[in-house]
Amino acid sequence: MPLLRLPEPYDFELSTGRYRAFGADLANLWLDGALHRVVGRREVRIEAARGGVRVEPLDAETRPVVLTLLGAEFDLDSFYDWARGDPVLARLTEALAGLRPPLAPDPFEALVTAITAQQISLHAAFSIRNRLIQRFGKRAEQAYSFPTAQRLRRADPDELVGLGFSRRKAEYVVGLATEKIDYAALAQLPDDEIKARLVAVRGLGEWTADWFLARHLARPRAWPAGDLAVRKAAALFYPDAADVRALGERFEPFQNLTAHYLLAGLYSDRRLDP
């Protein structure tokens, strides 16, 4: 399998942990020690290797998707240098060195996934997401492609309700699929403008917009202050912080990476107590 070199540091096990933590994800499938993702019509296998990852097939189509999926664009060196000035983050970045938050390569998938996870546990969200993928996606070998907007705009909301969506969320997903959003143009806008355009779409609130900035666009200052897990992590590691949104200003300009390291610290089985 061809080798794809990644920026150092990189820890494959830590960085792919999200794909195992809440159950199987049929569109980002962890199987036999490797991550499987459908790119175009082909299934790509990604596994750990010295100096990066081995990817099959690796070419001009699959390379950018794999790099995005593995969070290669994050500047960990600058973050780690900055984090040394904060006792909590200094400890987290040492214990979790090489963690690169995985990114959703497709914007529509990122938004549908966020809608699915609104106000329910991530275990439940992953189960519902998988049923959606099985019903409306396409299987390659082991993994499935995520359903396209074209496919979901033809769906009846009742079909999604049958998969476990609430009536309102089913309408949100089908409605989003019918929206004429230029995602490439959206990605060129400042954070505030992106959030304003997203929250104007029915079913997309500030929580969803924040995670879109964080987990699709990798915006450095994205700070999902409304997320319950982020709030729990903030309370654990910064118990004196009265306002989580205001706490984000303390992490300028690395709010996104800080949020992910706090979450990883919250869920990690390593000794990361405050």
Side-chain angles (χ1 to χ4, degrees), residues 1-266:
M1 292 173 65
L3 176 68
L4 175 61
R5 296 198 174 277
L6 296 172
E8 293 289 344
Y10 180 74
D11 187 307
F12 185 75
E13 181 181 358
L14 275 176
S15 300
T16 58
R18 180 173 171 80
Y19 302 124
R20 303 184 294 278
F22 305 105
D25 176 352
L26 294 180
N28 300 293
L29 183 63
W30 185 263
L31 184 66
D32 297 330
L35 184 62
H36 296 249
R37 169 87 184 186
V38 177
V39 179
R41 297 183 177 181
R42 297 175 295 167
E43 183 166 318
V44 179
R45 176 184 168 90
I46 308 162
E47 63 182 42
R50 184 184 298 274
V53 290
R54 295 204 175 275
V55 182
E56 181 63 44
L58 178 63
D59 54 32
E61 181 184 30
T62 64
R63 180 186 300 269
V65 175
V66 172
L67 289 173
T68 297
L69 196 66
L70 300 182
E73 64 187 270
F74 286 108
D75 182 0
L76 291 190
D77 286 337
S78 296
F79 174 55
Y80 289 173
D81 286 344
W82 171 87
R84 291 192 186 102
D86 183 293
V88 170
L89 291 175
R91 186 168 63 256
L92 287 176
T93 53
E94 180 178 357
L96 301 170
L99 168 64
R100 290 181 177 274
L103 298 171
D106 180 74
F108 178 71
E109 177 181 351
L111 290 174
V112 171
T113 299
I115 291 172
T116 307
Q118 290 171 359
Q119 299 180 326
I120 61 174
S121 75
L122 287 176
H123 288 281
F126 268 68
S127 294
I128 295 169
R129 170 185 157 93
N130 280 340
R131 290 194 287 271
L132 179 75
I133 291 169
Q134 284 183 305
R135 174 65 180 83
F136 294 100
K138 293 184 178 180
R139 186 172 183 174
E141 298 171 27
Q142 303 294 331
Y144 287 72
S145 62
F146 193 83
T148 62
Q150 291 83 354
R151 186 83 187 275
L152 285 176
R153 73 171 56 119
R154 297 194 298 269
D156 188 313
D158 285 339
E159 293 181 87
L160 273 65
V161 171
L163 299 176
F165 285 85
S166 68
R167 166 62 57 180
R168 184 170 295 179
K169 285 187 183 180
E171 293 174 354
Y172 291 165
V173 170
V174 175
L176 175 65
T178 65
E179 289 281 341
K180 303 297 183 181
I181 300 175
D182 185 338
Y183 289 108
L186 186 69
Q188 303 306 312
L189 299 176
D191 293 2
D192 288 347
E193 291 187 36
I194 293 173
K195 289 182 68 171
R197 296 199 181 191
L198 289 178
V199 300
V201 177
R202 183 170 180 255
L204 304 184
E206 185 173 17
W207 180 88
T208 301
D210 281 335
W211 278 125
F212 183 83
L213 290 171
R215 286 187 171 154
H216 172 61
L217 295 178
R219 292 295 175 90
R221 294 174 170 84
W223 178 243
D227 185 84
L228 290 177
V230 171
R231 289 179 173 273
K232 184 176 179 180
L236 174 66
F237 290 108
Y238 297 94
D240 296 332
D243 185 321
V244 175
R245 188 163 296 281
L247 177 65
E249 298 174 6
R250 175 173 178 171
F251 308 126
E252 174 73 24
F254 294 105
Q255 286 92 332
N256 189 354
L257 282 168
T258 295
H260 281 94
Y261 272 72
L262 291 177
L263 288 173
L266 177 66

